[in-house]
Amino acid sequence: MRKHLISTLVALGLGVISMPSAMAAPTKASFDNYVSGIKAEARRDGISDKIINEAFANIQFVERAVKADRNQPERKLTLDEYLNKAVPQWKINLANKRYQENKTVLDRIGQEYGVSPKFIVALWGIESNFGRITGNYNVVEALTTLAYEGRRAAFFRGEVMDALQILNEGHIKPSEMKGSWAGAMGQSQFMPSSYLTFAVDGNNDGKIDIWNTKADVFASAANYLKKSGWKDGYTWGRPVRMAKAIPEAWVGTKMSKGEPLSVWKARGVTKLNGQPLPNVDIKAWLIQPDDNHGHSYLIYNNYQTLLKWNRSNYFALAVSRLADSIH
């Protein structure tokens, strides 16, 4: 099985290949030639001619995928603005409803993988609005377009090959492999490489269907967290306040290997309500996503695991807030 273990920084497109801000529209001949090269590579990797022919039937350059890649919002929301959009009350209400509706399978999967079901539901809600918004792009077509366009050519070409591997294993039909403009698939919004690494069969039917089968969606999310370092019995962290200013060297997830809560106590960090931190033997990091002008949080190892899913504090805090709101 071919797997492309690409770093998250590359997956997020943080400065890997420098490209002009504008690109001339491709000619059909040049795009078709590029597709021919991908097909040849796929055959060398053992992908069947049947899958290749079906996956690339009537494939076209998808200009709107390129525009979406280049025109992501430039304005940075504050954390409060982002959380208000990402975790509104209606989503909290729906998260609780979906949690209760699926509690039996969630409890089984949570116990099997050692992951809190509330975080599985929270990831489901933040990623795809509980499966309601998963994208309608043909995944192979979108990925091939972005690979050809070239801004992140190596990454997206690798994802094309992984998508073909998924099809070759028979988990879904080429016509049904839908996702976002960037190729994130199904209710868990896995890139093909993440699918091959983490997706699992949650209902033992021989297929891994993160598009339509909730047991597979939940188990795949749980497996991702487990393999990324999730520790059952702990939560993500907590909002905190400081009795005095904190040196910049103490802030951030990369400044140290974390400090025990007793150390943060001695530094004047308390719960948000001013009460002392708990007497728990666990290491924590202090983060301030909006610098020292906004909120402060002590975060634990499980929060670091959420960052492996998406390296954004805003994302991880949205998931954490939604999980905390599920009862």
Side-chain angles (χ1 to χ4, degrees):
M1 178 186 294
R2 176 172 180 162
K3 293 185 179 180
H4 301 269
L5 302 180
I6 308 298
S7 73
T8 307
L9 284 175
V10 175
L12 293 174
L14 300 182
V16 290
I17 300 176
S18 177
M19 292 295 295
S21 59
M23 172 186 175
T27 64
K28 185 177 186 305
S30 65
F31 183 67
D32 288 349
N33 185 60
Y34 183 82
V35 170
S36 295
I38 288 183
K39 289 179 177 179
E41 183 178 351
R43 290 189 182 93
R44 291 194 297 271
D45 280 358
I47 307 300
S48 72
D49 283 338
K50 179 179 183 296
I51 291 298
I52 292 172
N53 292 335
E54 290 181 8
F56 291 100
N58 304 313
I59 191 169
Q60 298 179 30
F61 183 86
V62 187
E63 182 66 33
R64 64 190 180 116
V66 176
K67 288 181 178 178
D69 185 40
R70 291 177 176 167
N71 298 325
Q72 298 179 59
E74 294 182 1
R75 177 176 175 263
K76 185 179 186 296
L77 299 174
T78 67
L79 178 60
D80 283 340
E81 289 172 334
Y82 176 82
L83 290 177
N84 287 338
K85 289 178 178 293
V87 194
Q89 187 60 48
W90 66 261
K91 182 168 283 188
I92 291 172
N93 296 341
L94 189 56
N96 279 276
K97 182 178 180 181
R98 294 289 180 263
Y99 175 70
Q100 293 300 327
E101 288 173 346
N102 298 281
K103 195 171 187 305
T104 299
V105 66
L106 283 165
D107 285 348
R108 173 180 65 79
I109 289 169
Q111 184 173 10
E112 179 179 352
Y113 289 92
V115 172
S116 167
K118 294 179 181 180
F119 280 88
I120 297 172
V121 173
L123 283 164
W124 184 35
I126 296 299
E127 282 290 9
S128 68
N129 194 13
F130 312 101
R132 295 163 68 181
I133 303 174
T134 59
N136 60 2
Y137 284 82
N138 177 306
V139 167
V140 171
E141 187 172 61
L143 290 171
T144 301
T145 293
L146 293 172
Y148 172 84
E149 183 264 351
R151 190 170 74 85
R152 292 177 284 173
F155 170 71
F156 282 116
R157 186 167 179 130
E159 295 294 335
V160 173
M161 295 302 164
D162 285 342
L164 294 173
Q165 181 65 48
I166 294 165
L167 294 172
N168 207 53
E169 292 176 2
H171 296 293
I172 193 166
K173 296 177 181 178
S175 61
E176 297 173 355
M177 184 182 261
K178 302 293 184 179
S180 74
W181 59 264
M185 308 183 303
Q187 297 186 36
S188 53
Q189 288 291 279
F190 278 4
M191 294 297 289
S193 56
S194 292
Y195 179 104
L196 290 178
T197 305
F198 300 110
V200 292
D201 179 4
N203 64 347
N204 299 312
D205 68 350
K207 294 185 178 182
I208 305 174
D209 180 8
I210 62 171
W211 293 266
N212 304 297
T213 305
K214 286 186 287 188
D216 292 2
V217 175
F218 301 157
S220 297
N223 189 50
Y224 191 113
L225 294 179
K226 177 185 177 182
K227 286 189 173 181
S228 299
W230 188 271
K231 301 298 182 185
D232 195 23
Y234 295 97
T235 186
W236 65 273
R238 66 179 66 246
V240 294
R241 60 189 292 187
M242 275 83 64
K244 56 185 177 181
I246 294 289
E248 186 176 340
W250 294 355
V251 179
T253 57
K254 297 181 180 179
M255 296 297 183
S256 69
K257 295 181 180 179
E259 300 283 3
L261 287 186
S262 59
V263 171
W264 292 110
K265 274 187 181 183
R267 291 172 173 175
V269 179
T270 69
K271 293 181 180 179
L272 196 59
N273 62 6
Q275 295 297 310
L277 295 172
N279 294 316
V280 179
D281 184 17
I282 187 173
K283 288 188 175 181
W285 295 257
L286 181 73
I287 62 169
Q288 296 176 323
D290 286 338
D291 300 321
N292 59 1
H293 304 295
H295 304 288
S296 299
Y297 302 86
L298 280 181
I299 54 98
Y300 308 143
N301 181 75
N302 283 344
Y303 183 94
Q304 301 274 39
T305 300
L306 292 174
L307 289 178
K308 293 177 183 178
W309 183 297
N310 183 324
R311 292 191 67 176
S312 162
N313 280 314
Y314 282 25
F315 171 86
L317 287 168
V319 171
S320 300
R321 174 177 286 192
L322 188 55
D324 283 350
S325 302
I326 298 173
H327 305 289

